[in-house]
Coordinates of all heavy atoms in Angstrom, one line a residue:
P897 N -27.3 9.5 12.0 CA -28.4 10.1 12.6 C -28.3 10.3 14.1 O -27.5 9.5 14.7 CB -29.5 9.0 12.4 CG -28.8 7.8 12.1 CD -27.5 8.2 11.6
E898 N -28.8 11.2 14.8 CA -28.7 11.6 16.1 C -29.0 10.5 17.0 O -28.4 10.3 18.0 CB -29.7 12.8 16.4 CG -29.5 13.4 17.7 CD -28.2 14.0 18.1 OE1 -27.6 14.6 17.2 OE2 -27.7 14.0 19.2
S899 N -30.0 9.6 16.6 CA -30.4 8.5 17.4 C -29.2 7.5 17.8 O -29.2 6.7 18.5 CB -31.6 7.7 16.8 OG -31.3 7.2 15.6
S900 N -28.3 7.5 16.8 CA -27.1 6.6 16.8 C -25.9 7.1 17.5 O -25.0 6.5 17.9 CB -26.6 6.1 15.4 OG -27.7 5.4 14.8
V901 N -26.0 8.4 17.8 CA -24.8 9.1 18.5 C -25.1 9.0 20.0 O -25.7 9.7 20.7 CB -24.8 10.6 18.1 CG1 -23.7 11.3 18.8 CG2 -24.6 10.7 16.7
K902 N -24.4 7.9 20.5 CA -24.6 7.4 22.0 C -23.4 6.7 22.5 O -22.7 6.1 21.6 CB -25.9 6.7 22.2 CG -25.9 5.4 21.5 CD -27.4 4.8 21.5 CE -27.4 3.6 20.6 NZ -28.7 3.1 20.4
P903 N -23.2 6.8 23.8 CA -21.9 6.0 24.2 C -22.0 4.6 23.9 O -23.1 3.8 23.8 CB -22.1 6.3 25.8 CG -22.8 7.5 25.9 CD -23.8 7.5 24.7
G904 N -20.8 4.0 23.5 CA -20.5 2.7 23.1 C -20.8 2.4 21.6 O -20.5 1.4 21.0
Q905 N -21.3 3.3 20.8 CA -21.4 3.2 19.3 C -20.0 3.3 18.7 O -19.3 4.2 18.8 CB -22.3 4.3 18.8 CG -22.4 4.3 17.3 CD -23.2 3.1 16.9 OE1 -24.2 2.8 17.3 NE2 -22.7 2.4 15.9
L906 N -19.7 2.2 18.0 CA -18.5 2.1 17.3 C -18.8 2.7 15.8 O -19.8 2.3 15.2 CB -18.2 0.6 17.0 CG -16.8 0.3 16.4 CD1 -15.7 1.0 17.2 CD2 -16.6 -1.1 16.4
C907 N -17.9 3.5 15.5 CA -18.1 4.3 14.2 C -16.8 4.7 13.6 O -15.7 4.3 14.2 CB -19.1 5.5 14.4 SG -18.8 6.6 15.6
C908 N -16.7 5.8 12.8 CA -15.5 6.3 12.5 C -15.6 7.9 12.4 O -16.7 8.4 12.2 CB -14.9 5.8 11.0 SG -16.0 6.0 9.7
V909 N -14.4 8.5 12.3 CA -14.4 10.0 12.3 C -13.1 10.5 11.4 O -12.2 9.7 11.4 CB -14.4 10.6 13.7 CG1 -13.1 10.3 14.4 CG2 -14.7 12.1 13.6
T910 N -13.3 11.5 10.7 CA -12.2 12.0 10.0 C -11.6 13.1 10.8 O -12.1 13.9 11.4 CB -12.6 12.6 8.6 OG1 -11.5 13.1 7.9 CG2 -13.7 13.8 8.8
V911 N -10.2 13.0 11.0 CA -9.3 13.9 11.7 C -8.3 14.2 10.7 O -7.4 13.3 10.4 CB -8.7 13.3 12.9 CG1 -7.9 14.3 13.7 CG2 -9.9 12.9 13.8
L912 N -8.0 15.5 10.3 CA -7.1 16.0 9.4 C -7.0 15.2 8.1 O -5.9 14.6 7.7 CB -5.6 16.0 10.1 CG -5.6 17.0 11.3 CD1 -4.2 16.8 11.9 CD2 -5.9 18.5 10.8
N913 N -8.2 14.9 7.5 CA -8.3 14.0 6.3 C -8.0 12.6 6.4 O -7.7 11.9 5.3 CB -7.5 14.7 5.2 CG -8.0 16.1 4.8 OD1 -9.4 16.3 4.8 ND2 -7.2 17.1 4.5
W914 N -7.8 12.0 7.6 CA -7.6 10.6 7.9 C -8.9 10.1 8.6 O -9.3 10.7 9.6 CB -6.3 10.4 8.6 CG -5.1 10.6 7.8 CD1 -4.4 11.8 7.7 CD2 -4.3 9.6 7.1 NE1 -3.4 11.8 7.0 CE2 -3.2 10.5 6.6 CE3 -4.3 8.4 6.9 CZ2 -2.3 9.8 5.8 CZ3 -3.4 7.7 6.2 CH2 -2.4 8.4 5.6
W915 N -9.2 8.9 8.3 CA -10.3 8.2 8.9 C -9.8 7.3 10.1 O -8.9 6.5 9.8 CB -11.1 7.4 7.9 CG -11.9 8.3 7.0 CD1 -11.6 8.8 5.8 CD2 -13.3 9.0 7.4 NE1 -12.5 9.6 5.3 CE2 -13.5 9.7 6.3 CE3 -14.1 8.9 8.4 CZ2 -14.8 10.5 6.2 CZ3 -15.2 9.6 8.4 CH2 -15.6 10.4 7.2
Y916 N -10.5 7.2 11.2 CA -10.1 6.5 12.3 C -11.3 5.8 12.9 O -12.4 6.4 12.9 CB -9.5 7.4 13.4 CG -8.2 8.0 12.9 CD1 -8.2 9.2 12.4 CD2 -7.0 7.4 13.2 CE1 -7.1 10.0 12.0 CE2 -5.9 8.1 12.7 CZ -5.8 9.4 12.3 OH -4.7 9.9 11.8
R917 N -11.2 4.5 13.3 CA -12.1 3.9 14.1 C -12.2 4.5 15.4 O -11.3 4.8 16.0 CB -11.8 2.4 14.3 CG -12.0 1.6 13.1 CD -12.0 0.0 13.5 NE -10.9 -0.3 14.3 CZ -10.8 -1.5 14.9 NH1 -11.8 -2.4 14.8 NH2 -9.8 -1.9 15.6
V918 N -13.5 4.7 16.0 CA -13.7 5.3 17.2 C -14.9 4.7 17.8 O -15.8 4.2 17.2 CB -13.9 6.9 17.2 CG1 -12.6 7.6 16.7 CG2 -15.0 7.2 16.3
V919 N -14.9 4.9 19.2 CA -16.2 4.4 20.0 C -16.6 5.8 20.7 O -15.8 6.5 21.3 CB -15.8 3.4 21.0 CG1 -17.0 3.1 21.8 CG2 -15.1 2.2 20.4
I920 N -17.8 6.0 20.6 CA -18.4 7.3 21.3 C -18.3 7.0 22.8 O -18.9 6.0 23.3 CB -19.8 7.6 20.8 CG1 -19.8 8.0 19.3 CG2 -20.3 8.8 21.7 CD1 -21.1 8.1 18.7
H921 N -17.5 7.9 23.4 CA -17.4 7.6 24.9 C -18.5 8.4 25.6 O -19.1 7.9 26.5 CB -15.9 8.2 25.3 CG -15.7 8.1 26.7 ND1 -15.9 7.0 27.5 CD2 -15.3 9.1 27.6 CE1 -15.6 7.3 28.7 NE2 -15.3 8.4 28.9
R922 N -18.7 9.7 25.2 CA -19.8 10.5 25.8 C -20.2 11.6 25.0 O -19.4 12.1 24.2 CB -19.4 11.0 27.2 CG -18.3 12.0 27.3 CD -17.9 12.5 28.7 NE -16.7 13.2 28.6 CZ -16.6 14.6 28.9 NH1 -17.8 15.1 29.3 NH2 -15.5 15.3 28.8
V923 N -21.3 12.0 24.9 CA -22.0 13.1 24.3 C -21.7 14.5 25.2 O -22.1 14.4 26.3 CB -23.4 13.0 24.0 CG1 -24.0 14.1 23.2 CG2 -23.6 11.6 23.1
I924 N -21.0 15.4 24.6 CA -20.7 16.6 25.3 C -21.8 17.7 25.2 O -22.3 18.2 26.1 CB -19.4 17.1 24.9 CG1 -18.2 16.2 25.2 CG2 -19.1 18.5 25.4 CD1 -16.8 16.5 24.8
N925 N -22.2 17.8 24.0 CA -23.3 18.8 23.6 C -23.9 18.5 22.3 O -23.6 17.5 21.7 CB -22.7 20.3 23.8 CG -21.6 20.5 22.8 OD1 -21.6 20.1 21.6 ND2 -20.6 21.3 23.2
D926 N -24.7 19.5 21.8 CA -25.4 19.2 20.5 C -24.4 19.1 19.4 O -24.8 18.5 18.2 CB -26.3 20.4 20.2 CG -27.5 20.4 21.1 OD1 -27.8 19.3 21.8 OD2 -28.2 21.4 21.2
Q927 N -23.2 19.6 19.4 CA -22.1 19.7 18.4 C -21.0 18.6 18.5 O -20.4 18.3 17.6 CB -21.6 21.1 18.2 CG -22.7 22.1 18.0 CD -23.4 21.9 16.6 OE1 -22.8 21.7 15.7 NE2 -24.7 22.1 16.6
E928 N -20.7 18.2 19.8 CA -19.5 17.6 20.0 C -19.6 16.3 20.9 O -20.6 16.2 21.7 CB -18.5 18.4 20.8 CG -18.0 19.7 20.1 CD -17.1 20.6 20.8 OE1 -17.5 20.9 22.0 OE2 -16.2 21.0 20.5
V929 N -18.8 15.3 20.6 CA -18.8 14.1 21.5 C -17.3 13.8 21.7 O -16.3 14.3 21.1 CB -19.3 12.9 20.7 CG1 -20.9 13.0 20.4 CG2 -18.5 12.6 19.3
E930 N -17.1 13.1 22.8 CA -15.8 12.6 23.2 C -15.7 11.2 22.6 O -16.7 10.3 22.9 CB -15.5 12.6 24.7 CG -14.1 12.3 25.0 CD -13.9 12.5 26.6 OE1 -14.7 12.0 27.4 OE2 -12.8 12.9 26.9
V931 N -14.7 10.8 21.9 CA -14.6 9.4 21.3 C -13.2 8.9 21.8 O -12.3 9.6 22.1 CB -14.6 9.5 19.8 CG1 -15.9 10.1 19.3 CG2 -13.4 10.3 19.2
F932 N -13.3 7.5 21.9 CA -12.1 6.7 22.2 C -11.6 6.1 20.9 O -12.4 5.5 20.1 CB -12.5 5.7 23.2 CG -11.5 4.6 23.5 CD1 -10.2 5.0 24.1 CD2 -11.7 3.3 23.3 CE1 -9.3 4.1 24.4 CE2 -10.7 2.3 23.3 CZ -9.5 2.7 24.0
F933 N -10.4 6.1 20.7 CA -9.7 5.5 19.5 C -9.2 4.1 20.0 O -8.1 4.1 20.6 CB -8.6 6.5 19.1 CG -8.9 7.7 18.4 CD1 -9.4 8.8 19.2 CD2 -8.9 7.9 17.1 CE1 -9.7 9.9 18.8 CE2 -9.2 9.1 16.6 CZ -9.7 10.1 17.4
P934 N -9.9 3.1 19.7 CA -9.5 1.7 20.1 C -8.2 1.1 19.5 O -7.6 0.2 20.0 CB -10.7 0.8 19.7 CG -11.3 1.5 18.5 CD -11.1 3.0 18.8
D935 N -7.7 1.8 18.5 CA -6.4 1.4 17.8 C -5.3 2.1 18.3 O -4.1 1.8 18.0 CB -6.6 1.4 16.3 CG -7.7 0.6 15.8 OD1 -7.9 -0.6 16.2 OD2 -8.5 1.0 14.9
Y936 N -5.5 3.2 19.1 CA -4.5 4.1 19.7 C -4.5 4.2 21.1 O -3.5 4.5 21.8 CB -4.5 5.5 19.0 CG -4.2 5.4 17.4 CD1 -5.2 5.1 16.5 CD2 -2.9 5.5 17.0 CE1 -5.0 5.0 15.2 CE2 -2.7 5.2 15.6 CZ -3.7 5.1 14.8 OH -3.5 5.0 13.4
G937 N -5.8 4.1 21.7 CA -6.0 4.2 23.2 C -6.1 5.5 23.7 O -6.0 5.7 25.0
N938 N -6.4 6.5 22.9 CA -6.6 7.8 23.5 C -8.1 8.4 23.3 O -8.8 7.8 22.5 CB -5.6 8.8 22.8 CG -5.8 8.8 21.3 OD1 -5.8 7.9 20.6 ND2 -6.0 10.1 20.8
L939 N -8.4 9.5 24.0 CA -9.6 10.0 23.9 C -9.5 11.4 23.2 O -8.3 12.1 23.3 CB -10.2 10.4 25.2 CG -10.6 9.2 26.2 CD1 -10.9 9.6 27.6 CD2 -11.9 8.6 25.6

């Protein structure tokens, strides 16, 4: 839900059919967010 899409929220995302743990770093716009991959160290 949109109310949960905020910086600091730990969740997961699919990238090329693989699931990764991520932390929402910042909301960019209505469609995109920048996420941090705590298991890899990248944005």
